[in-house]
Amino acid sequence: NAGVMQNPRHLVRRRGQEARLRCSPMKGHSHVYWYRQLPEEGLKFMVYLQKENIIDESGMPKERFSAEFPKEGPSILRIQQVVRGDSAAYFCASSLQGANTEAFFGQGTRLTVV
Amino acid sequence: RKEVEQDPGPFNVPEGATVAFNCTYSNSASQSFFWYRQDCRKEPKLLMSVYSSGNEDGRFTAQLNRASQYISLLIRDSKLSDSATYLCVVNIAPGNTPLVFGKGTRLSVIA
């Protein structure tokens, strides 16, 4: 009964490279959310996806960031041309029902841009 | 007014103490409320949902006051292991909208 699985746990990228963060939701969950947490800050909502659909991307930066949740496979958060300010912990969560229900988090991916 | 607001603390309390956290939210139409716990450099973990009638889980009691738009978390008989950051979480608009997290209240339980 695996929980939400994220990989990699730690990712180091040089400025200008691409970062790909993966998230497999809990078994049976079709709702996925990505949050970003800066050091000593709260979690900021980025995007909400259901299989093959983006439901709410109001928290996503307009440029360089994209997310998908294909029919098969994990959800991917992609950051192109990373900058130092992208360094943060990125958490994925999933829920069984809609976005206003209990969500369960993965262990996060810590992205460091050097 | 911030969407979800919490006292950042820190709250430093001795073992065995009772401690209470409050959280206010901005949208009176919010429907879902939770408390999560986050340990340093770990993921948030669901502590409990908050129901209109209030609910209790062992040493933890959560209450909702819709009229004043706040929720509370009471921890009785604090343990060292309760030291963490407690996150107030609300779906800030009615319907299928993502959960919004407060910045958290840090608790340190001291021996």
Side-chain angles (χ1 to χ4, degrees):
Chain A
N1 186 21
V4 179
M5 303 299 292
Q6 289 188 249
N7 67 82
R9 294 285 306 279
H10 299 275
L11 182 61
V12 179
R13 284 287 178 266
R14 295 185 186 279
R15 280 177 293 171
Q17 291 185 317
E18 179 180 286
R20 279 181 177 246
L21 288 62
R22 288 176 290 278
C23 169
S24 295
M26 284 180 71
K27 188 175 181 180
H29 287 192
S30 62
H31 302 260
V32 166
Y33 320 90
W34 287 92
Y35 287 82
R36 176 166 64 177
Q37 188 172 36
L38 294 167
E40 304 301 320
E41 293 289 323
L43 280 91
K44 299 293 186 189
F45 166 73
M46 298 182 74
V47 62
Y48 164 28
L49 310 106
Q50 262 189 293
K51 282 289 187 181
E52 301 184 272
N53 291 307
I54 295 175
I55 308 300
D56 183 340
E57 56 181 348
S58 57
M60 286 277 271
K62 297 264 187 288
E63 298 176 348
R64 303 188 297 109
F65 285 71
S66 62
E68 63 176 3
F69 188 16
K71 188 177 180 181
E72 301 291 336
S75 174
I76 306 286
L77 179 67
R78 183 182 176 205
I79 311 172
Q80 295 177 290
Q81 299 174 332
V82 296
V83 300
R84 288 230 172 101
D86 296 333
S87 297
Y90 291 83
F91 289 100
C92 170
S94 72
S95 66
L96 181 62
Q97 297 176 353
N100 57 351
T101 58
E102 299 161 343
F104 298 90
F105 281 80
Q107 291 180 303
T109 294
R110 297 194 180 276
L111 172 65
T112 302
V113 180
V114 297
Chain B
R1 186 177 182 181
K2 290 182 182 176
E3 291 180 315
V4 180
E5 198 154 6
Q6 297 182 249
D7 182 341
F11 283 61
N12 299 315
V13 302
E15 272 187 292
T18 295
V19 61
F21 308 134
N22 286 333
C23 163
T24 57
Y25 58 94
S26 60
N27 191 331
S28 60
S30 295
Q31 296 172 339
S32 301
F33 310 89
F34 308 93
W35 283 101
Y36 278 71
R37 166 194 172 132
Q38 186 174 27
D39 292 281
C40 188
R41 299 185 69 78
K42 300 282 190 180
E43 75 274 21
K45 291 187 177 175
L46 178 67
L47 183 64
M48 58 199 304
S49 304
V50 186
Y51 304 122
S52 296
S53 55
N55 47 305
E56 187 174 311
D57 182 2
R59 298 182 294 109
F60 298 83
T61 301
Q63 291 192 313
L64 167 64
N65 185 320
R66 285 192 184 272
S68 301
Q69 292 177 218
Y70 79 80
I71 66 175
S72 64
L73 177 68
L74 183 77
I75 306 175
R76 289 182 298 278
D77 189 23
S78 300
K79 312 290 184 192
L80 293 175
S81 58
D82 293 334
S83 298
T85 296
Y86 290 83
L87 306 172
C88 172
V89 185
V90 179
N91 83 310
I92 207 62
N96 201 23
T97 54
L99 300 177
V100 175
F101 284 71
K103 286 192 173 183
T105 299
R106 189 173 295 181
L107 171 67
S108 291
V109 181
I110 303 161

